[in-house]
Amino acid sequence: YIPENLGLFLFTVSLLLFVRYLKYKEKKYIIYLLALMPLYMITHRNWIMFLLSIMCIIVPYLTPYLKKYSKYVMALILLGIVFMFISSNSLIASLIARAPREPVTLVGYFKWMGIIQLIFGILAVNYYIKGNYLKKGLAIWALVFMLIGSVSFRFRDPYASFPLSIMAGEYIMM
């Protein structure tokens, strides 16, 4: 199925460009990413998953700033919540209604994630949490998408599989 494959390809390339930007601090990677994003946004809707993944990866990088400016961050979050309730209740209701919520069984969760990947990925979380910012971001990404993957398979397949596979592979190679 071309759109799904194209979405996975664009997700992988976009994530690679973003990680290279974080790792090497070269602006060309972010420029390539910004050039690719309009194509990604037009062709497939999983660009939203890409943004969620980016937010998970960037949290460790922002931690020092969040601690330093915690009052302003909390004020901004509260202001956002108030704005959401004031703007339109039908907007929030429609966004919640559109969220995929196919039931996920426990057996299905292990079956589609892969038992070996889950075991070694979860074992690697401890190692990754103690690592650099990028490794912490991968661990957060895996944990967040594994948790919301219990609500719908769309979050789990493949968006939780990417970071879990990376972590499990590195853990096995250690």
Side-chain angles (χ1 to χ4, degrees):
Y1 192 65
I2 291 174
E4 191 65 33
N5 292 338
L6 180 64
L8 291 173
F9 173 73
L10 291 172
F11 181 89
T12 306
V13 171
S14 300
L15 196 62
L16 174 70
L17 290 171
F18 184 74
V19 168
R20 289 211 172 198
Y21 170 73
L22 289 176
K23 193 171 183 180
Y24 301 117
K25 304 290 189 235
E26 293 183 23
K27 291 184 181 179
K28 69 178 181 180
Y29 294 116
I30 205 76
I31 291 170
Y32 294 152
L33 176 61
L34 291 175
L36 183 64
M37 280 308 290
L39 174 68
Y40 192 10
M41 293 169 80
I42 290 170
T43 58
H44 205 275
R45 68 180 181 176
N46 80 342
W47 65 272
I48 296 168
M49 299 299 183
F50 172 72
L51 291 181
L52 287 172
S53 302
I54 291 300
M55 284 190 259
C56 292
I57 290 173
I58 208 162
V59 163
Y61 288 91
L62 296 177
T63 303
Y65 301 106
L66 294 175
K67 287 180 181 177
K68 186 175 181 181
Y69 301 109
S70 61
K71 293 176 189 174
Y72 300 113
V73 171
M74 289 305 293
L76 189 63
I77 290 171
L78 289 174
L79 187 65
I81 291 170
V82 169
F83 178 74
M84 279 179 33
F85 283 114
I86 291 174
S87 66
S88 171
N89 284 336
S90 62
L91 173 68
I92 296 168
S94 68
L95 289 175
I96 292 171
R98 291 182 62 199
R101 285 175 284 166
E102 293 84 9
V104 177
T105 64
L106 186 62
V107 174
Y109 191 86
F110 287 107
K111 176 183 173 186
W112 293 109
M113 284 295 286
I115 293 175
I116 294 173
Q117 178 176 295
L118 272 171
I119 291 170
F120 288 110
I122 291 171
L123 288 172
V125 166
N126 189 34
Y127 167 73
Y128 267 68
I129 290 293
K130 294 177 182 174
N132 62 17
Y133 287 148
L134 188 56
K135 288 186 177 192
K136 287 178 186 176
L138 275 173
I140 292 169
W141 174 22
L143 292 172
V144 165
F145 275 80
M146 282 171 43
L147 286 173
I148 61 176
S150 63
V151 175
S152 172
F153 72 92
R154 295 217 178 262
F155 296 110
R156 184 190 66 227
D157 308 336
Y159 305 107
S161 297
F162 284 146
L164 210 57
S165 297
I166 293 167
M167 293 176 2
E170 186 174 351
Y171 187 81
I172 290 171
M173 298 302 289
M174 290 191 319

